[in-house]
Amino acid sequence: MSLETSAWESAAAAWTHRHLLGLEELTADEITLILDTAESLKDATGGCRQKLPILAGKTMANLFFENSTRTRISFSLAARRLGADTIDFAASGSSLSKGETCIDTAKNIEAMGVDVMVVRHRTPGTPHLLADNLDCAVINAGDGPHEHPTQGLLDLLTIRQQRGSIAGLTVALVGDIQFSRTARSNIWGLKKLGAHVILCGPATLVSPRWRELGVEVSHNLDEVLPRCDVLNLLRIQFERQTTRPFPSVREYALLYAMNRERIARAKDDILILAPGPINRGVEVTPEVADGPHSVILEQVSNGLAVRMAVLWLICKRLEM
Amino acid sequence: MTSILIENGRVIDPSQSIDRVTSVLIVDGKIAGFDVARQAHHEVIDATGKIVTPGLIDMHVHLREPGREEDETIATGTAAAIAGGFTSIVCMPNTEPPIDTQGTVEFIQHQAALAGNCHVYVVACVSKDREGKELAEIGQLVQAGAVGFSDDGAPVHNAELMRRAFEYAQMFDRPILNHAEVPELTTGGVMHEGLVSMILGLPGMPSAAEDVMVGRDLELAATTGGRIHVMHISTEGAIDIVRRGKRRGVRVTTEVCPHHFVLTDEALRSFDSNFKMSPPLRAENDRAACVEGLKDGTIDCIVTDHAPHAAEKKMQELDRAPFGIVGLETALPLVITHLIEPGHLDWSQAIAKMTINPARILGLDRGTLRAGAPADVTIIDPGYEWTVEREQMRSKSKNSPFQGWRVRGRADVTIVDGQVKYRAGVENLALAGR
């Protein structure tokens, strides 16, 4: 057994959760454990490019009741890199359209010998509902605006890689906080690891009530920008909104888009993150998205490492 | 002649300000008197250590029949009622079809008589087909026996229609019961809008949606002289509006459900749809305001809003699961455990809110142990400790959020029109009358 393998085994021994449903319920140590495991796996697989078949014989099912590109592919690839088999399910064209409930759909897929179910759903709590009704482990791959824990973890890993530590950093989440699952997972993760978090966006999307979680709330990006070490630019979730929370996209971009002028007023080493997909010209202009401060593609790479780590920890827990 | 003598019980009848240990005699289905010595022909019920009250009345129940018999039937709903100590229940008109004709009222009365468990009174629709457009035939519905009018399940949204309902129903001295909610503020809402909904990412239903509608209804009642009964009140703001309305002489009454004075929106952190109801579980300040409103008399009645839903409907994603929980079999123990035992209400105050107060609001000749009144009696075992088990419920649906809760107190004997309809621990008695 190599030194690295020994490190993964001891990480798995320290992991106590059957499911990964959100970052709210994890401790700082547990989050750090995942990040450390992800870095270690990334190193061992040449940046996640080579196979390391340590989960051979396991089966992971992607249960995506809502559209996704990068998360679904990322989970599939992560499982394959570790030697696990994968099953893909998409809601469109499935028995759901024949009236089958999501629990029955999941139970049928589980009955095919699934160890881990990766679930995305538009309704908060649906992964929790499935976790309560299935024997296999459940990983939340995004439940409505509630949580997207692996996105939160990959954001943390990216920041930590770039800055060495999360503690003491000022991180602003900009945009559609109300409808963003990435925002919630980021808030829990960043707070637990010691960052100062600023939520910035229009008042209709950023309630002052968020302050009750110990974060700063601002509606003025230009005011908070000079203090920020990291900006995470969240997409406007038009598909979740029942009423338009601001007068026009043009006005939103004027007030909140990260552009050339704003980057010039930011700290020299500011990091620009975006969970994607990005709306170029709305939250971020192309020269910023593709510029030297942007770590958007590193986030995608780290997503693979984080998901490998989570699958490893959870599958090993199932054996205990 | 049949006679039942209930001996040695603590008789609490708020309608007559009675609270003492005595005996109650029932003859031929009527209350015959107190302080009666036992005679050979009496059937005797020993109520030593028990509390003897007028039969409990729940003025807010959904029986689902006609139309949704997979959730509940009049037979199963009334069986649950007597097991909970209720001798009279009032059913809401959001059935399929809705209760907006004499024929539907009579159907319910007929089914209730066939079930033979407890009295069932009917609140009929304010508007035809519950569409909120035209007044239902209120006069004819009164003739059929409707005791009040409501489009419950939904508010009477149109202010003009509400004004006309107040004016028209006054001719028959019937109240309008409104589900207070401004729909534009709650569209898509799953739970109370607050810190918890924000954290969970669930669409919220703000308190203002209830407060605004209660304010509107009180102004319309004041303008017309009509009687408004605010259903299942749940917010601090609405309770305060009712409190101020009563002070200035508006003809307003209100009711609260046990889940609103026991639970808060924190319960939704479990994502369990058995905590999803409308109005939603509110914040702690709202819960406390419900208790305060009960204490100071702002809130007149305790009701269940018994809303059964079959398991397959509740076992869905939270936004697809329907609103509502069952409550008939847990209301009394929750009142005892969470209002009486902590000292918020004394027994007489609590019993008044479950007997004479709803009877007065709806003009029912019940809720009292006065001599000559129908002998509806509930004998309560106040110290009996038990655990709520969904499997034990008589309601057809088991969607209770109180599964596994330890509670104190239960209905020991339920007597309807002088007939023992339920005895705790005797399984088949509730079914005998069907």
Side-chain angles (χ1 to χ4, degrees):
Chain A
M1 184 180 287
S2 70
L3 188 63
E4 291 79 3
T5 307
S6 166
W8 308 325
E9 292 285 352
S10 61
W15 180 254
T16 58
H17 295 272
R18 181 178 185 82
H19 311 287
L20 178 65
L21 300 175
L23 296 193
E24 184 183 3
E25 53 261 35
L26 298 189
T27 65
D29 285 346
E30 288 167 338
I31 291 171
T32 302
L33 180 76
I34 300 173
L35 301 185
D36 291 346
T37 308
E39 279 196 334
S40 169
L41 284 166
K42 193 175 178 181
D43 290 345
T45 54
C48 302
R49 290 177 180 277
Q50 298 146 21
K51 272 199 167 186
L52 185 71
I54 52 178
L55 289 185
K58 302 289 183 198
T59 302
M60 182 204 79
N62 270 327
L63 221 71
F64 278 61
F65 297 96
E66 194 184 53
N67 293 337
S68 162
T69 306
R70 77 203 66 211
T71 304
R72 187 169 49 79
I73 292 172
S74 181
F75 267 110
S76 288
L77 206 50
R80 286 182 198 141
R81 289 279 192 269
L82 297 180
D85 296 323
T86 62
I87 299 171
D88 264 334
F89 165 88
S92 58
S94 74
S95 293
L96 286 174
S97 57
K98 301 175 190 168
E100 188 176 54
T101 67
C102 76
I103 293 178
D104 284 333
T105 301
K107 279 187 169 174
N108 276 281
I109 292 172
E110 182 188 32
M112 297 176 196
V114 167
D115 301 290
V116 184
M117 197 86 77
V118 177
V119 179
R120 167 166 290 191
H121 200 283
R122 67 183 171 84
T123 308
T126 302
H128 306 67
L129 179 71
L130 295 180
D132 287 343
N133 285 280
L134 299 175
D135 293 324
C136 67
V138 173
I139 297 173
N140 182 359
D143 58 334
H146 176 223
E147 280 228 42
H148 191 353
T150 53
Q151 177 70 46
L153 289 163
L154 74 88
D155 290 344
L156 292 170
L157 182 60
T158 307
I159 297 169
R160 197 178 78 165
Q161 278 180 347
Q162 298 288 328
R163 288 288 176 274
S165 168
I166 307 284
L169 295 178
T170 295
V171 181
L173 309 176
V174 183
D176 186 349
I177 307 299
Q178 183 178 345
F179 294 99
S180 171
R181 51 191 169 216
T182 298
R184 285 164 179 80
S185 290
N186 265 257
I187 290 168
W188 298 122
L190 289 164
K191 290 288 297 174
K192 285 171 201 277
L193 296 190
H196 175 68
V197 178
I198 302 174
L199 306 182
C200 184
T204 44
L205 292 173
V206 189
S207 158
R209 188 172 272 137
W210 284 106
R211 293 193 181 109
E212 293 178 49
L213 298 185
V215 300
E216 184 180 338
V217 168
S218 169
H219 307 303
N220 189 332
L221 178 58
D222 292 309
E223 214 166 75
V224 298
L225 183 60
R227 289 194 278 130
C228 294
D229 299 298
V230 180
L231 290 183
N232 198 345
L233 306 173
L234 307 178
R235 185 174 67 86
I236 302 296
Q237 310 272 325
F238 291 110
E239 70 277 16
R240 297 193 201 288
Q241 296 162 2
T242 50
T243 54
R244 181 64 74 86
F246 44 79
S248 67
V249 169
R250 201 168 68 139
E251 177 156 316
Y252 179 85
L254 181 74
L255 294 173
Y256 298 105
M258 201 58 197
N259 52 28
R260 191 197 313 266
E261 293 75 31
R262 285 200 169 99
I263 210 90
R265 291 200 299 275
K267 285 186 180 177
D268 291 341
D269 58 351
I270 192 164
L271 287 183
I272 303 293
L273 280 73
I278 58 173
N279 290 322
R280 288 174 184 260
V282 181
E283 306 98 27
V284 57
T285 55
E287 64 268 30
V288 177
D290 304 326
H293 299 279
S294 169
V295 287
I296 293 172
L297 293 178
E298 280 90 331
Q299 287 175 270
V300 177
S301 304
N302 283 332
L304 198 52
V306 157
R307 286 167 185 130
M308 285 164 69
V310 168
L311 285 169
W312 163 254
L313 294 172
I314 282 181
C315 284
K316 294 307 282 182
R317 172 81 179 86
L318 289 176
E319 293 172 1
M320 293 166 72
Chain B
M1 186 181 79
T2 59
S3 61
I4 301 174
L5 186 67
I6 304 168
E7 282 189 331
N8 304 320
R10 177 184 168 191
V11 177
I12 299 176
D13 180 5
S15 77
Q16 304 178 81
S17 302
I18 289 172
D19 183 351
R20 63 189 164 90
V21 175
T22 182
S23 60
V24 180
L25 180 64
I26 297 168
V27 177
D28 286 342
K30 306 279 186 194
I31 302 292
F34 295 162
D35 306 316
V36 179
R38 183 194 295 197
Q39 294 183 22
H41 63 275
H42 290 153
E43 179 189 341
V44 175
I45 297 175
D46 180 12
T48 303
K50 312 276 171 61
I51 289 172
V52 181
T53 72
L56 305 181
I57 299 170
D58 184 350
M59 66 177 289
H60 193 151
V61 172
H62 298 270
L63 288 177
R64 304 302 187 207
E65 189 180 358
R68 283 171 49 193
E69 290 79 1
E70 70 277 18
D71 297 329
E72 190 80 284
T73 64
I74 291 170
T76 56
T78 53
I82 55 176
F86 294 98
T87 56
S88 295
I89 58 176
V90 181
C91 67
M92 292 299 130
N94 57 335
T95 48
E96 296 169 8
I99 307 173
D100 65 348
T101 63
Q102 282 186 316
T104 331
V105 176
E106 286 161 5
F107 168 80
I108 288 162
Q109 291 164 339
H110 180 66
Q111 293 300 111
L114 279 180
N117 288 319
C118 68
H119 303 288
V120 176
Y121 295 94
V122 177
V123 163
C125 295
V126 170
S127 67
K128 287 177 187 160
D129 214 20
R130 284 182 65 241
E131 284 187 336
K133 293 175 182 167
E134 293 177 70
L135 284 181
E137 291 171 334
I138 286 175
Q140 292 182 49
L141 289 161
V142 169
Q143 278 184 0
V147 296
F149 294 89
S150 175
D151 280 352
D152 187 38
V156 178
H157 182 228
N158 183 316
E160 167 63 7
L161 185 78
M162 191 64 164
R163 185 180 81 148
R164 295 300 177 207
F166 278 131
E167 289 171 345
Y168 198 76
Q170 276 185 79
M171 294 194 297
F172 311 99
D173 192 26
R174 293 291 191 277
I176 305 295
L177 295 71
N178 202 18
H179 173 126
E181 178 182 336
V182 175
E184 297 90 329
L185 292 171
T186 58
T187 303
V190 165
M191 65 176 295
H192 171 66
E193 183 179 296
L195 181 66
V196 181
S197 70
M198 194 186 77
I199 289 170
L200 301 183
L202 283 165
M205 304 159 83
S207 299
E210 183 168 323
D211 303 351
V212 170
M213 188 62 94
V214 171
R216 182 205 77 168
D217 286 349
L218 261 68
E219 291 313 310
L220 290 172
T223 303
T224 59
R227 272 208 283 150
I228 173 69
H229 178 79
V230 179
M231 306 179 89
H232 42 46
I233 203 161
S234 70
T235 69
E236 184 179 19
I239 292 165
D240 199 46
I241 292 167
V242 170
R243 182 178 288 122
R244 285 184 281 124
K246 284 188 168 186
R247 279 191 201 130
R248 68 187 172 106
V250 179
R251 301 175 74 197
V252 56
T253 53
T254 190
E255 62 186 35
V256 71
C257 304
H259 46 270
H260 286 130
F261 62 71
V262 172
L263 299 168
T264 68
D265 58 350
E266 286 287 337
L268 255 300
R269 283 182 181 271
S270 63
F271 292 107
D272 182 345
S273 65
N274 286 311
F275 295 103
K276 179 184 174 185
M277 58 277 282
S278 175
L281 297 174
R282 301 285 187 186
E284 172 55 26
N285 63 303
D286 298 303
R287 190 205 63 77
C290 290
V291 174
E292 194 53 40
L294 283 161
K295 285 164 73 171
D296 72 9
T298 302
I299 299 174
D300 305 272
C301 305
I302 296 167
V303 302
T304 63
D305 191 7
H306 180 79
H309 293 288
E312 66 270 20
K313 296 179 186 174
K314 274 291 195 182
M315 282 286 285
Q316 294 192 87
E317 300 91 317
L318 210 47
D319 57 345
R320 296 176 64 145
F323 291 101
I325 61 166
V326 292
L328 284 165
E329 293 165 85
T330 50
L332 177 62
L334 290 170
V335 167
I336 294 170
T337 309
H338 292 275
L339 291 179
I340 297 175
E341 291 208 329
H344 299 310
L345 296 183
D346 62 29
W347 273 95
S348 188
Q349 289 170 319
I351 295 301
K353 293 177 196 295
M354 302 176 82
T355 56
I356 191 62
N357 290 2
R360 284 180 179 146
I361 290 166
L362 297 174
L364 313 180
D365 62 341
R366 303 192 182 268
T368 178
L369 298 177
R370 199 176 292 279
D376 290 353
V377 181
T378 303
I379 302 175
I380 298 166
D381 184 345
Y384 185 82
E385 279 193 28
W386 58 289
T387 301
V388 177
E389 299 284 356
R390 287 182 187 138
E391 295 71 28
Q392 303 297 319
M393 290 183 168
R394 286 168 167 77
S395 178
K396 194 166 185 180
S397 296
K398 319 289 184 192
N399 47 311
S400 168
F402 297 108
Q403 163 68 22
W405 280 45
R406 287 293 290 175
V407 289
R408 188 187 277 263
R410 66 171 177 179
D412 199 45
V413 179
T414 307
I415 299 171
V416 181
D417 278 341
Q419 290 184 44
V420 175
K421 291 290 185 181
Y422 171 82
R423 277 182 204 274
V426 182
E427 277 301 313
N428 293 323
L429 196 61
L431 306 173
R434 285 196 208 165

